[in-house]
Structure formats: structure tokens, C-alpha cells
Amino acid sequence: MTGQNPTAIEIDTNKPHPARMYDWYLGGRDNYPVDEALGRQMLALDPRVPVMARVNRAFMHRATRWLAQQGVRQFLDIGTGIPTEPNLHQVAQRIAPDARVVYCDNDPIVLAHASALLRSTPEGVTEYLQADVRDPDAIIEGARRILDLDRPVALSLVALLHFIPDEDGAHALVSRLLSALPSGSYLMMTHATADFTPEESAAAVEKLKAAGVTLALRSREEFARFFTGLDLVDPGVEIVHKWHPDLGEPVPGQDDGVIPGYGAVARKP
Ligand SMILES: C[S@@+](CC[C@H](N)C(=O)[O-])C[C@H]1O[C@@H](n2cnc3c(N)ncnc32)[C@H](O)[C@@H]1O
């Protein structure tokens, strides 16, 4: 585990954090009253937020499964979140026990729970890096210690980039990360959008902003731009739960109204 000493972790319980709110939506217990309070405000705007969180998590499972089936054996997962079983390495290693996975998040609570991410199969490896996606060079250097960057890597940015506004160069960060990976690597990504629920989304952005959380919702076109220069795999950019539903179980409630998020997987030529 690199980046910070886990015994010296400071968790700010006065301010809501996306990782802990997501944990609350998923029914986890690693969150604080301040996270639940803001989470309940989000539910008041759209009661389907917990379904969206589950749908998003299910995409990560299906995309990981698909990539492992294609022969991908290395994964770099940035914005990992608080461990929630099955975690990415468990999905990948069920298909390929030798899969190597580097996890990365910037929230100290994820670091505090990272031991659950480090239970690899004996044949594979998992590692956790405490780092910010806005420092891609540090992530690449950390990942290089575990992954062979001359062999394909799946870069996983699932429900992460809507926390990175354009001012922080979200698109350039993805390009920089991909530039360190060889041909045959993949990008898997989901992202929230205001395309279907503009009023509720604008209200959510305002409430989150007031609580100190940035949410940068992007349109379908802005999402698709992250894949410039890559070959999108079938079915291309899709509503999250419509991407390869054949590879997993449906999430209860996923079809009761629109899920305002896109998902896609693409290959670096
Ligand atoms: C909604 S959770 C997604 C978790 C997981 N990827 C999933 O989809 O199930 C977003 C995660 O991104 C992390 N995150 C937000 N901003 C980040 C940043 N600048 N650098 C690294 N991680 C970040 C949060 O701490 C949180 O754990």
C-alpha cells in the first residue's frame, strides 16, 4: 500500500464525501451522518439514486468480466471507492486468477478500508495507491511497480470523472493516462449526465456545491470525447445498464424510468 501511512489517516466527518455517500446509497456502513444527510437530499430530488449506484456498480462487474474474457490480465482502477464485494479484482480473478489489479483513490476513508482490496488470489496481485487522478504521473509511476506497462492494461474510471470539472482538465488527464499504456489497452468508464433530467440534475449540482462537492455532469457528446482515438467496442456509448446486459443480472428497478448515466468500453489501437 503506497502513498500514506494508514495508521495516520485523518477522516473529516464534518464534510460529506462522494465515496461515503456512494457507500450509503449502496447500503454500506462506512459513512457518517453528514454523508447520509446530503444523500437524503439527493434522494428527495430523485428517489432512484440508490438504483443508479447499484446499476453503476453492476456495469463495473460486467465490463471487468468482458475484459477478462478478452484476455486482459492487468487493471488500473482509479476512483475505486470504499470496498464493496465483489470488488474489481474478485470479478477479474474469478475468470483469471493471475489478474493484477492496482486500485487508486484520493479519499482517506478508502485507504482506511484498503485491506479488503488487498486480498488477492495467490496467482494474482492487488495493490492500493493513495493518489489523485489529477496527478496522473504519480499514478503511472505507482502502477508501474505492479503492472507491466508494455502489456495491455484496462484503465477503469467508473463514476469518477463527473467529480473532475473541465477546469481541472478532465479530458487531458484521461489522454495522459492512456498515453502511458500500450496498444491493446482498454478504457472502461461510466459518467453521470444531465441529458435526461436537466432540472433535477441542476438542483443536485447546486446542493452538492453548497456542501463542497463538485459534480461536473457531461452530455453524451462530452462523454464520447473521452474515447477520442480509441475504438469503442459494441454496443458503443450506452445508458449504463444497457451495456452488455448479457454479462450480469439486472438490478431491481433499473427499468423503472431513466438511469441518467453513460457507460462505454474502448480499445486503444
Ligand atoms: C461514486 S464513487 C465510485 C466508486 C467505484 N468506481 C464504483 O463505480 O463503484 C467515486 C470515487 O471516486 C473518488 N474520487 C473522487 N475524486 C477523486 C480524485 N480527484 N482522485 C481520485 N479519486 C477520486 C471518490 O473518493 C470515490 O471513491
Side-chain angles (χ1 to χ4, degrees), residues 30-200:
D30 300 311
N31 53 76
Y32 294 88
V34 70
D35 307 304
E36 178 174 342
L38 187 56
R40 287 195 185 280
Q41 289 188 48
M42 295 300 113
L43 256 64
L45 290 168
D46 189 338
R48 288 170 30 85
V49 174
V51 176
M52 292 175 207
R54 290 197 169 85
V55 161
N56 179 72
R57 192 82 191 160
F59 170 93
M60 184 276 278
H61 299 159
R62 296 195 309 280
T64 301
R65 220 166 268 145
W66 186 88
L67 288 159
Q69 287 170 355
Q70 307 311 303
V72 176
R73 295 292 176 266
Q74 305 192 100
F75 294 81
L76 173 55
D77 178 53
I78 309 178
T80 296
I82 294 168
T84 305
E85 296 214 345
N87 295 292
L88 191 152
H89 73 280
Q90 294 166 313
V91 177
Q93 290 182 343
R94 244 166 242 162
I95 294 169
D98 58 339
R100 303 172 79 83
V101 179
V102 173
Y103 290 111
C104 172
D105 204 289
N106 71 341
D107 193 319
I109 194 146
V110 182
L111 174 67
H113 292 277
S115 58
L117 300 169
L118 301 178
R119 297 187 197 124
S120 171
T121 54
E123 303 91 325
V125 179
T126 61
E127 178 57 297
Y128 179 77
L129 294 177
Q130 174 79 1
D132 195 301
V133 70
R134 288 167 291 197
D135 189 0
D137 292 341
I139 294 177
I140 293 162
E141 284 322 303
R144 198 187 290 286
R145 290 197 285 273
I146 302 295
L147 306 179
D148 177 356
L149 299 190
D150 292 326
R151 290 178 45 234
V153 175
L155 173 63
S156 164
L157 306 175
V158 176
L160 168 68
L161 288 167
H162 45 235
F163 297 114
I164 309 296
D166 287 349
E167 304 88 88
D168 287 350
H171 287 86
L173 290 173
V174 176
S175 300
R176 171 69 192 112
L177 288 163
L178 286 169
S179 73
L181 308 181
S183 167
S185 293
Y186 286 88
L187 173 62
M188 64 187 256
M189 194 191 292
T190 63
H191 199 296
T193 184
D195 283 357
F196 309 104
T197 51
E199 283 167 24
E200 295 87 339

